[in-house]
Amino acid sequence: RKGTVIITGASSGLGLATAKSLAETGKWHVIMACRDFLKAERAAKSSGIAKENYTVMHLDLSSFDSVRHFVGNFRQSGQPLDVLVCNAAVYLPTAKEPMFTADGFELSVGTNHLGHFLLARLLLDDMKKSDYPSKRLIIVGSITGNTNTLAGNVPPKANLGDMRGLAGGLNGLNSSAMIDGGHFDGAKAYKDSKVCNMLMMQEFHRRFHEETGITFASLYPGCIATTGLFREHIPLFRLLFPPFQKYITKGYVSEDESGKRLAQVVSDPSLTKSGVYWSWNHNSASFENQLSEEASDVSKAQKVWEISEKLVGLA
Ligand code: NDP
């Protein structure tokens, strides 16, 4: 049978390119889990994804109700779940004030981390039931959360601190809107959310790999400088960022190529190792990359897991 893969945020950028790459093989049915149904339908059509290879299902990661509804709808569809790709993200580098999810959490961490954490926790049960030979749960990471790299050292740097803001509910009222309890900074909130993504992938691995056989993985697909992720940035940045990445840092990767990379992590028989953060070299060959000290800190991972369980209502 065909594999069934859920990809969050498949209406643009990396998620869409990955959906296309997998659908083209004819071996996958892609559930495009998106907040904007029409945009996702249009995106699928204009990318030429054949109708029989995808379904759009509504998911707004900035609302726990929506996450739970999505899981219910997916279960009702009766399909097995073989691979889950947590890809969607918001990046608000120019925001002066924090924005909040439906449940009152700062929007970047609330969407990129908490929404995905609840989704992945709930869908783990569905994946356990699947008889697919290589089940995988993939959480997209980023170089920007890794302070052991040049890109990760561009201020403001990711830093979860002692997580007093997260523990306090990240609501900007009786707690800070930032995980470390500091002043709001949209660019840092995004980077912090990516550290949580990478920590959670490893914590899933430690807690569930042996018992379930599921492969847990993260990746940095390269700098896809042209995606919608940078839509909130100032116009001059959007103009100069792609050529800067192409000619100066040489970290640039096209949406097409990034989609092929993530599709490899979904289905390539050689990428089954669990607990791993994949990257690609200049020849587009994959390799197991090192995470920063913070992004591989076992006690921080445990703490993020435990606090997040409470925040999403699982504990
Ligand atoms: P895009 O902005 O193109 O795609 C992000 C996707 O997330 C969109 O489909 C967007 O939906 C969706 N999304 C945002 N908020 C929500 C929400 N509340 N509920 C459901 N979906 C939502 O960015 P990219 O393709 O670049 O980003 C994809 C992933 O790649 C992210 O995890 C990002 O961190 C990561 N990444 C990107 C890099 C880059 O250079 N671009 C580098 C490293 C990692 P909509 O279309 O409705 O806005």
Side-chain angles (χ1 to χ4, degrees):
R1 67 172 172 88
K2 271 189 188 178
T4 302
V5 54
I6 293 177
I7 305 178
T8 68
S11 55
S12 79
L14 176 61
L16 179 62
T18 307
K20 182 170 192 268
S21 181
L22 289 169
E24 271 170 5
T25 64
K27 294 180 184 156
W28 291 93
H29 186 80
V30 183
I31 311 282
M32 299 171 69
C34 299
R35 63 175 166 178
D36 185 336
F37 198 92
L38 258 179
K39 180 178 175 182
E41 268 300 340
R42 285 200 187 111
K45 282 209 182 82
S46 63
S47 313
I49 305 179
K51 218 169 170 30
E52 66 275 15
N53 291 336
Y54 77 92
T55 309
V56 177
M57 284 181 68
H58 186 262
L59 168 66
D60 182 351
L61 287 158
S62 65
S63 154
F64 296 154
D65 267 356
S66 174
V67 171
R68 289 184 178 278
H69 271 124
F70 171 83
V71 171
N73 285 340
F74 175 74
R75 286 179 183 159
Q76 276 205 327
S77 78
Q79 298 170 80
L81 179 58
D82 307 319
V83 177
L84 169 63
V85 180
C86 298
N87 160 78
V90 282
Y91 174 50
L92 309 159
T94 57
K96 298 275 179 285
E97 297 289 332
M99 289 188 276
F100 297 93
T101 65
D103 307 274
F105 302 102
E106 187 281 318
L107 193 63
S108 329
V109 173
T111 306
N112 308 354
H113 163 56
L114 292 174
H116 275 136
F117 180 70
L118 178 60
L119 180 74
R121 283 290 301 273
L122 296 175
L123 288 176
L124 192 68
D125 285 339
D126 302 75
M127 293 183 72
K128 283 183 190 165
K129 289 181 197 140
S130 146
D131 62 357
Y132 202 71
S134 184
K135 302 186 274 191
R136 305 184 192 185
L137 198 165
I138 299 154
I139 308 177
V140 177
S142 179
I143 197 170
T144 50
N146 277 302
T147 49
N148 59 339
T149 65
L150 197 62
N153 271 298
V154 177
K157 292 190 212 178
N159 179 8
L160 307 187
D162 64 4
M163 292 176 240
R164 66 182 66 184
L166 188 67
L170 217 63
N171 56 28
L173 296 168
N174 49 7
S175 87
S176 163
M178 299 295 290
I179 294 180
D180 65 359
H183 288 296
F184 175 70
D185 182 316
K188 180 174 183 300
Y190 168 80
K191 294 178 190 181
D192 290 348
S193 78
K194 290 278 115 186
V195 173
C196 291
N197 285 155
M198 294 180 279
L199 286 174
M200 289 307 90
M201 175 281 285
Q202 295 162 87
E203 193 60 22
F204 267 110
H205 165 73
R206 283 188 286 267
R207 289 176 186 242
F208 297 107
H209 174 65
E210 244 181 62
E211 170 202 335
T212 63
I214 295 170
T215 295
F216 299 95
S218 185
L219 70 152
Y220 171 61
C223 183
I224 331 157
T226 51
T227 71
L229 194 68
F230 306 101
R231 74 189 98 178
E232 299 293 335
H233 227 302
I234 56 169
L236 188 66
F237 177 90
R238 280 186 275 133
L239 180 72
L240 297 179
F241 192 53
F244 173 74
Q245 292 294 347
K246 239 182 228 170
Y247 304 114
I248 313 285
T249 70
K250 307 225 181 341
Y252 175 88
V253 62
S254 68
E255 293 185 26
D256 241 28
E257 174 60 24
S258 70
K260 287 185 186 136
R261 290 178 179 182
L262 179 45
Q264 278 173 37
V265 183
V266 169
S267 67
D268 192 305
S270 67
L271 302 191
T272 54
K273 190 165 171 191
S274 185
V276 168
Y277 168 67
W278 297 104
S279 294
W280 285 259
N281 65 24
H282 290 307
N283 303 321
S284 267
S286 59
F287 67 96
E288 202 180 317
N289 206 346
Q290 287 299 309
L291 288 159
S292 71
E293 204 179 312
E294 181 169 57
S296 51
D297 185 319
V298 175
S299 61
K300 280 202 178 184
Q302 265 171 7
K303 199 166 166 188
V304 174
W305 181 281
E306 282 160 16
I307 299 171
S308 303
E309 271 190 328
K310 290 195 186 114
L311 298 182
V312 304
L314 287 174

